[in-house]
């Protein structure tokens, strides 16, 4: 054990970027004492071991080199989760307190404790529990260097802290935290609702709301095209037609004035062509030909008055520098050709379909 302890003190000190002199100063000890610990010629008393674990942001068992105890931490975390899910909050708090005594600097233990107090605070309207959750979340951020699980990330923890402040009705502080961690606009919706509903800051809040709406629309379009492609790959044309029709309806609802061209029309033309592919797969050839012609007509109408901004889209017309980008091609007609050639649609399309499409797409609009 002495060998592991000495080695770990030296390793963790260096990981924290500390010299032996700096560590000695923090502990109010002499440089010689620290040197002896790291050589293994002496070892710290329990009080100093606990201080070292705190300074290095590691658990006591990790400092001592008892790797086998990590299994015990997992058992404790699982026990707390079960009590939390069963809403046995008093028992959960006792387990949290016991776990922290053993693992005060174990990332996953501290994070689980924070999460439990967070839930108790929300369900029981317990402000003290929410403040305790914030403290443990902040400590878990200090320990985040221990994390090896890709499902955890620091931004999520910071946003949980923000939500605790919002639950405490410290709205301004919560919004500030959300803004600090608003990576790629992930907090736009939460910022918007709290600015508008709680602080009555309508002018700034609506900007966040519009950005959030635009982001959700973009996500929805991506998901719908993924679903349609899935039904193509799995050769499920019935589900494919339903999804294509639903997608067209959804995209049309986004237009503020249906009679005017909007950026969504380019997506609509592509979806109409996908619908024709599913109709062909079902043997509805007459309907497939008619739908191909409809897709081409819509593409030609878009190309005559192309629109790539958000001005004719509901809730997005006032987004600053609001533009819609896609990978379908420079023009809508090119997008139809590319869709058929490059997006793995050939497997479901018949030769009759491809021949008819080529003939129609090459006609002068």
């Amino acid at each position: 054990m002495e060998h592991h302890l000495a080695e770990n003190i030296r390793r963790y000190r260096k990981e924290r970027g500390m010299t032996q002199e700096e560590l000695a100063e923090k502990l109010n000890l002499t440089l010689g004492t620290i040197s002896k610990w790291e050589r293994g010629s002496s070892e710290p008393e329990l009080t100093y071991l606990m201080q070292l674990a705190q300074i290095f942001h590691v658990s006591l068992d990790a400092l001592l080199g008892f790797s086998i105890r990590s299994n015990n931490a997992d058992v404790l975390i699982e026990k707390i989760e079960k009590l939390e899910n069963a809403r046995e909050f008093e028992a959960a708090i006792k387990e949290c307190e016991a776990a922290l005594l053993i693992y005060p600097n174990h990332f996953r233990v501290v994070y689980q404790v924070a999460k439990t107090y967070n839930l108790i605070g929300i369900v029981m309207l317990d402000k003290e529990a929410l403040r305790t959750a914030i403290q443990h979340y902040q400590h878990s951020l200090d320990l985040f260097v221990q994390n090896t699980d890709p499902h955890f990330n620091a931004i999520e923890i910071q946003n949980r802290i923000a939500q605790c402040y919002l639950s405490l009705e410290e709205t301004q502080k919560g919004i500030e935290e959300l803004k600090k961690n608003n990576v790629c606009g992930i907090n736009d919706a939460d910022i918007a609702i709290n600015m508008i509903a709680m602080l009555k800051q309508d002018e700034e809040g609506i900007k966040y709301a519009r950005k959030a709406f635009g982001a959700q629309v973009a996500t929805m379009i991506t998901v719908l095209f993924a679903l349609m492609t899935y039904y193509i790959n799995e050769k499920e044309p019935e589900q494919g037609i339903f999804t294509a029709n639903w997608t067209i309806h959804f995209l049309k609802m986004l237009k503020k004035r249906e009679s005017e061209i909007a950026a969504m029309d380019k997506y609509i033309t592509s979806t109409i062509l996908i619908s024709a592919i599913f109709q062909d797969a079902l043997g509805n050839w007459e309907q497939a030909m008619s739908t191909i012609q409809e897709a081409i007509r819509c593409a030609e109408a878009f190309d005559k008055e192309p629109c790539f901004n958000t001005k004719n889209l509901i809730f997005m017309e006032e987004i600053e520098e609001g533009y819609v980008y896609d990978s379908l091609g420079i023009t809508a007609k090119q997008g139809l050709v590319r869709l058929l050639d490059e997006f793995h649609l050939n497997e479901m399309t018949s030769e009759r379909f491809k021949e008819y499409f080529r003939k129609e797409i090459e006609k002068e609009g």
Side-chain angles (χ1 to χ4, degrees), residues 185-252:
I186 59 172
N187 295 329
D188 281 345
D190 283 334
I191 293 170
I193 187 62
N194 282 284
M195 293 194 82
I196 295 170
M198 305 303 294
L199 300 183
K200 308 301 181 186
Q201 296 177 357
D202 294 353
E203 188 174 344
E204 185 178 358
I206 194 62
K207 292 178 182 178
Y208 282 97
R210 285 173 175 145
K211 284 168 58 183
F213 183 79
Q216 292 302 315
V217 166
T219 299
M220 191 65 170
I221 290 171
T222 302
V223 169
L224 289 169
F225 272 79
L227 287 169
M228 287 186 287
T229 305
Y230 170 81
Y231 293 129
I232 287 169
N233 293 344
E234 296 298 312
K235 296 181 174 53
E236 296 182 26
E238 294 90 350
Q239 283 294 326
I241 285 179
F242 172 82
T243 308
N245 290 339
W246 196 94
T247 302
I248 292 166
H249 177 68
F250 169 71
L251 294 171
K252 285 183 176 180

Side-chain angles (χ1 to χ4, degrees), residues 144-173:
F144 194 75
V145 66
Q146 299 175 22
N147 179 51
T148 57
D149 188 339
H151 293 97
F152 292 104
N153 66 78
I155 295 294
E156 179 191 356
I157 297 173
Q158 290 164 336
N159 284 335
R160 283 180 177 271
I161 292 172
Q163 293 298 335
C164 285
Y165 281 125
L166 293 173
S167 297
L168 285 165
E169 298 181 356
E170 296 181 25
T171 309
Q172 189 62 53
K173 196 164 186 178

Side-chain angles (χ1 to χ4, degrees), residues 17 19 64 69 74 80 93 104 129 144 148 155 164 174 184 193 214 238 244 247 291 301 336:
T19 63
L64 293 170
R69 287 195 185 174
D74 292 338
I80 293 169
I93 288 174
F144 194 75
T148 57
I155 295 294
C164 285
C184 299
I193 187 62
E238 294 90 350
T247 302
T291 306
L336 295 180

